[in-house]
Each structure stands twice: as structure tokens, then as C-alpha cells.
Amino acid sequence: MIDRALMVRLEGYGLTTAEIHYYRPDAPSLLNLFVWQDYDLAPDFPVLFDFIDYWNRGIEGALHSIRIVHDQLVRPAEWRAARGDFRLG
């Protein structure tokens, strides 16, 4: 079985982290922080924007700001299949 994280990274996805600051529904003058993380495609971030749409529809806390960080360490162009056996000892 192949790991989901490896498969999505080979398709161009990278680990995306979003710091979401929102106003607390019970105390609108206070901000709270929610950290969201998933694999997503930069620069369009369709998975993140689906989550933000869900937030706007189903969660009472109004959004204040969002900071996005995206990891692109492994890309499809960097992956190569290796052939051979390596024996140690």
C-alpha cells in the first residue's frame, strides 16, 4: 500500500499550513487562532479555499486574517525511480 502523502506530493501537492485568525462569536472584540494543515496545490489552494468556504457557511466566528505557508520540497520533476539492490554488511 502506497502512502497517501507520497502520492499527493508526486502529483504536485505540497504541505500547506494556514494560520486562521477569527473573531470569537461569544466575545467579538477578541481574536482566536486556528491552525489548519493539509496537502494542497499552490498558488490556487483549492483545498484551503474549500475549507474557508465551509468556515464561512458553517462556523460563526468571522474571519480576521489568514497566513498561508506552503512546502514544495518534493515535486514530480524531482522524483526518479531507482533500479538495483543495495546490500549492507
Side-chain angles (χ1 to χ4, degrees):
M1 178 147 208
I2 298 176
D3 184 28
R4 175 190 172 267
L6 175 62
M7 291 306 297
V8 296
R9 290 182 72 120
L10 291 175
E11 293 173 5
Y13 285 73
L15 188 61
T16 303
T17 303
E19 289 183 357
I20 302 171
H21 291 89
Y22 65 96
Y23 294 102
R24 291 181 48 162
D26 59 338
S29 62
L30 297 177
L31 286 175
N32 237 7
L33 171 66
F34 178 79
V35 177
W36 174 93
Q37 194 170 56
D38 202 348
Y39 289 94
D40 208 351
L41 287 168
D44 297 328
F45 301 108
V47 179
L48 174 59
F49 286 122
D50 284 346
F51 177 75
I52 292 171
D53 288 341
Y54 164 76
W55 183 292
N56 287 328
R57 286 190 319 271
I59 298 177
E60 290 183 29
L63 296 175
H64 173 270
S65 60
I66 301 173
R67 184 166 57 171
I68 302 170
V69 178
H70 187 262
D71 176 21
Q72 295 183 1
L73 294 177
V74 178
R75 297 182 190 130
E78 296 175 359
W79 182 83
R80 293 185 296 154
R83 295 183 187 207
D85 293 326
F86 300 97
R87 295 180 187 224
L88 300 174

